[in-house]
Amino acid sequence: MTAMILSDNVIPRADVIKRAVRIGAEIRNVKLSGDLPEQTIASINGLLLEHKVIFFRGQLHLDDAEQESFAIRFGELTPHPTLGAIKGTASIIELDSTRAGSRADLWHTDGTFVDAYPKIAVLRGIVMPPFGGDTVWSNTASAYLDLAPPLQGLADRLWAVHSNAFDYAILARVSELDKKHLDEVFTKTIYRTEHPVVRVHPETGERTLVLGALVQNFVGLPKYDGQKLFDLFQSHITALENTVRWSWRDGDVAIWDNRATQHYAVNDYGDQHRLVHRATVAGEVPVSIDGRSSVTRITGDHQAV
């Protein structure tokens, strides 16, 4: 309630346009920068916790430095564990559709192959195609609430292994160049992390589902049974009523709570150019409802696996 009151006092509710009932809001009349007052940053954070993903149109003034200057107001910046960060930045990765490995057309939460995966991502659209290239987000907290109580109880007890060494078969469209990029860059070090299927959100106290494309198996379950359960839980996450879709324009910024969402970059724009830069804010190690923490095991380099 305090966060909502603060938001009303700093960012008027008239400037907060809901995009769907369960997730997503567009925030108007805010120019993002690293110099925003502390109350404005707190208000943005409150709106983020409430709506899970928030959008800002027309932030054309931002460059990489200012994007990170804004993102760092929400916590420590963190580079990608295997991709690193582009030169001169602390955390930014570039997703350029003209290069291999830049089309994330699968449902995922960023970085779950490590324990303390990012808590917040700040994505800036630099070159967007005139049509296609939308991104879709889903609310993993409302997905948990949609589960019948017996299924909630089952999910509460399950743990899953996440890894960056995922199977190419889960990718609908993968080229030989994409495979080369995955082998030589994305999976140059193999991480395997055990996460609770249900984590307790450290700021809201909500229970959120931790699944997505990086899941390899459930701990203690045969692969066949685990796949059936994965499909069941994941279907609640990606139900259309649980999602919001954003049609990008140049200069747009999307900020999402990576602890309570999954997302999917729709690969429907062909050879048109799509270029985005993403900054990430370091997150906490997830904690299950019984107080246990996620555990990462680094397997080694790709060739040794």
Side-chain angles (χ1 to χ4, degrees), residues 215-294:
V215 170
Q216 289 199 329
N217 60 276
F218 288 117
V219 176
L221 288 182
K223 179 69 174 177
Y224 176 84
D225 293 333
Q227 188 62 52
K228 298 294 185 184
L229 286 175
F230 175 87
D231 291 342
L232 173 62
F233 294 138
Q234 188 70 18
S235 70
H236 283 271
I237 293 172
T238 61
L240 292 179
E241 294 78 8
N242 198 45
T243 66
V244 65
R245 182 168 180 148
W246 185 251
S247 295
W248 291 89
R249 302 173 191 163
D250 293 359
D252 287 356
V253 170
I255 306 171
W256 65 92
D257 185 343
N258 198 51
R259 301 160 296 186
T261 57
Q262 285 185 24
H263 59 281
Y264 185 112
V266 184
N267 186 3
D268 62 349
Y269 51 96
D271 294 332
Q272 299 178 97
H273 194 198
R274 185 180 189 274
L275 174 64
V276 295
H277 281 189
R278 190 194 76 197
T280 50
V281 179
E284 318 83 357
V285 176
V287 176
S288 68
I289 65 167
D290 61 2
R292 290 183 291 156
S293 298
S294 301

Side-chain angles (χ1 to χ4, degrees), residues 22 35 79 83 99 104 114 166 180 194 204 229 231 289 305:
R22 292 186 168 191
D35 297 327
L83 302 179
R99 299 176 184 171
V114 297
F166 57 86
K180 188 174 189 300
E194 292 182 8
T204 67
L229 286 175
D231 291 342
I289 65 167
V305 176

Side-chain angles (χ1 to χ4, degrees), residues 15 75 109 234:
D15 289 338
T109 296
Q234 188 70 18

Side-chain angles (χ1 to χ4, degrees), residues 7 31 33-35 47 69 89 106 110 118 126 137 146 163 166 187 205-206 212 218 257 262 264-265 277 300 305:
S7 296
K31 183 177 180 180
S33 77
D35 297 327
L47 291 167
S69 179
T89 74
L106 70 177
D110 288 330
I126 300 173
W137 284 265
D146 270 352
S163 179
F166 57 86
T187 61
E206 295 171 298
F218 288 117
D257 185 343
Q262 285 185 24
Y264 185 112
H277 281 189
V305 176

Side-chain angles (χ1 to χ4, degrees), residues 59-192:
Q59 306 292 313
L60 293 165
H61 60 283
L62 293 176
D63 57 14
D64 288 345
E66 196 62 36
Q67 181 178 353
E68 287 202 315
S69 179
F70 168 73
I72 203 171
R73 298 292 301 278
F74 298 89
E76 181 183 354
L77 300 181
T78 183
H80 190 280
T82 59
L83 302 179
I86 63 177
K87 186 176 181 180
T89 74
S91 72
I92 288 179
I93 63 169
E94 181 175 82
L95 297 171
D96 185 337
S97 62
T98 65
R99 299 176 184 171
S102 291
R103 303 192 184 212
D105 50 337
L106 70 177
W107 281 106
H108 65 288
T109 296
D110 288 330
T112 57
F113 54 88
V114 297
D115 52 6
Y117 57 86
K119 70 176 184 178
I120 292 172
V122 180
L123 188 67
R124 174 169 59 102
I126 300 173
V127 178
M128 308 311 299
F131 60 85
D134 295 355
T135 306
V136 187
W137 284 265
S138 65
N139 183 337
T140 62
S142 60
Y144 174 83
L145 293 176
D146 270 352
L147 297 174
L151 291 176
Q152 288 181 350
L154 174 59
D156 290 343
R157 298 190 298 273
L158 288 173
W159 286 66
V161 176
H162 296 237
S163 179
N164 55 328
F166 57 86
D167 188 348
Y168 297 134
I170 68 173
L171 298 171
R173 292 161 291 275
V174 57
S175 68
E176 290 305 313
L177 285 177
D178 289 330
K179 290 180 180 179
K180 188 174 189 300
H181 172 82
L182 288 168
D183 286 343
E184 296 179 0
V185 181
F186 190 75
T187 61
K188 64 184 178 183
T189 300
I190 302 296
Y191 294 85
R192 301 185 193 278

